[in-house]
Amino acid sequence: GAGVSQSPSNKVTEKGKDVELRCDPISGHTALYWYRQSLGQGLEFLIYFQGNSAPDKSGLPSDRFSAERTGGSVSTLTIQRTQQEDSAVYLCASSLEDRGWGTEAFFGQGTRLTVV
Amino acid sequence: SQKIEQNSEALNIQEGKTATLTCNYTNYSPAYLQWYRQDPGRGPVFLLLIRENEKEKRKERLKVTFDTTLKQSLFHITASQPADSATYLCALDHNYGQNFVFGPGTRLSVLP
């Protein structure tokens, strides 16, 4: 498809387990973002990838969270030893390279993670 | 500290009226600001982008203003319709476009 694709759409996991969330950005988009949205809350920035530059990991809430982007395309967000407070919708977005002029972000539908 | 605020958590207006949503920011110097629409269970969808050297931008029934002195953006929907009911998010670039930071959103309900 032409849009940002995330999988799975829903994930229920037991506390303490590890989970992997996948994001397929729009082809040709060099920037990729992960956000987290808790119920009724705004979007919380997690991590940003831009081309071959070092990712901006400043939003990751703890060292249990990590993300990688292989070949400048697909990205995986990994949460280790999940906790109940990790329950949220995880949103991925991609955009063309921002040259300071501004560029819109295209969001996927999100992965709803529930930790029980 | 850095902060983005949107005028109210929820806004109810009558169909046909103009909805005005506010986005205020503190301790950011964005080169541009964006507005997104989010429907329940879906990711945000881009609506408009306005740059720091632009005062106003229009798209159909939508209008955005950007006042870098007041550190404020106003988002207007004219001739509002029930289909405009959604949560509207403002976002501004952070760290010279290195990522976007979002406001908490305003949930707009247009009543028939």
Side-chain angles (χ1 to χ4, degrees):
Chain A
V4 176
S5 178
Q6 291 188 245
S7 60
S9 54
N10 281 285
K11 176 73 176 178
V12 179
T13 189
E14 291 181 352
K15 178 181 173 181
K17 300 283 190 182
D18 297 352
V19 294
E20 283 189 352
L21 312 180
R22 178 186 167 104
C23 173
D24 280 273
I26 293 173
S27 177
H29 281 191
T30 57
L32 188 146
Y33 315 79
W34 282 98
Y35 290 87
R36 178 169 72 173
Q37 188 172 35
S38 301
L39 188 62
Q41 302 298 309
L43 275 70
E44 175 189 3
F45 167 73
L46 297 177
I47 189 169
Y48 163 76
F49 296 90
Q50 172 61 284
N52 295 322
S53 302
D56 177 356
K57 305 179 182 180
S58 61
L60 294 178
S62 78
D63 58 8
R64 296 187 296 105
F65 289 72
S66 63
E68 63 177 21
R69 188 177 185 192
T70 54
S73 182
V74 172
S75 177
T76 302
L77 177 69
T78 302
I79 308 174
Q80 296 178 309
R81 304 181 302 281
T82 52
Q83 304 294 313
Q84 288 186 326
E85 60 263 28
D86 299 335
S87 297
V89 175
Y90 289 81
L91 290 160
C92 174
S94 70
S95 68
L96 291 169
E97 180 180 358
D98 185 337
R99 299 182 184 274
W101 300 344
T103 181
E104 65 180 280
F106 294 82
F107 281 83
Q109 298 284 59
T111 293
R112 181 176 299 278
L113 175 66
T114 304
V115 182
V116 298
Chain B
S1 62
Q2 295 175 316
K3 190 165 53 176
I4 305 174
E5 296 176 304
Q6 294 191 237
N7 56 325
S8 57
E9 189 175 320
L11 179 65
N12 297 328
I13 64 165
Q14 211 62 39
E15 182 176 7
K17 301 291 186 183
T18 296
T20 298
L21 284 64
T22 305
C23 176
N24 294 289
Y25 57 92
T26 306
N27 291 326
Y28 286 105
S29 297
Y32 55 87
L33 188 146
Q34 305 180 54
W35 284 87
Y36 288 78
R37 168 183 173 143
Q38 187 175 26
D39 291 284
R42 305 184 74 86
V45 174
F46 171 80
L47 296 175
L48 280 169
L49 179 153
I50 186 165
R51 298 184 175 88
E52 61 178 341
N53 61 345
E54 298 175 315
K55 295 294 185 187
E56 181 179 297
K57 185 74 73 74
R58 292 176 184 261
K59 179 182 176 182
E60 298 173 351
R61 295 184 295 110
L62 309 180
K63 184 178 85 170
V64 172
T65 63
F66 191 12
D67 189 324
T68 56
T69 301
L70 292 178
K71 297 186 182 297
Q72 179 182 79
S73 174
L74 299 179
F75 177 79
H76 306 273
I77 306 175
T78 58
S80 59
Q81 305 166 0
D84 296 327
S85 299
T87 295
Y88 291 86
L89 304 163
C90 68
L92 48 86
D93 74 290
H94 179 49
N95 196 19
Y96 304 102
Q98 293 300 302
N99 64 56
F100 300 107
V101 183
F102 282 82
T106 295
R107 189 173 65 252
L108 174 68
S109 297
V110 181
L111 308 173

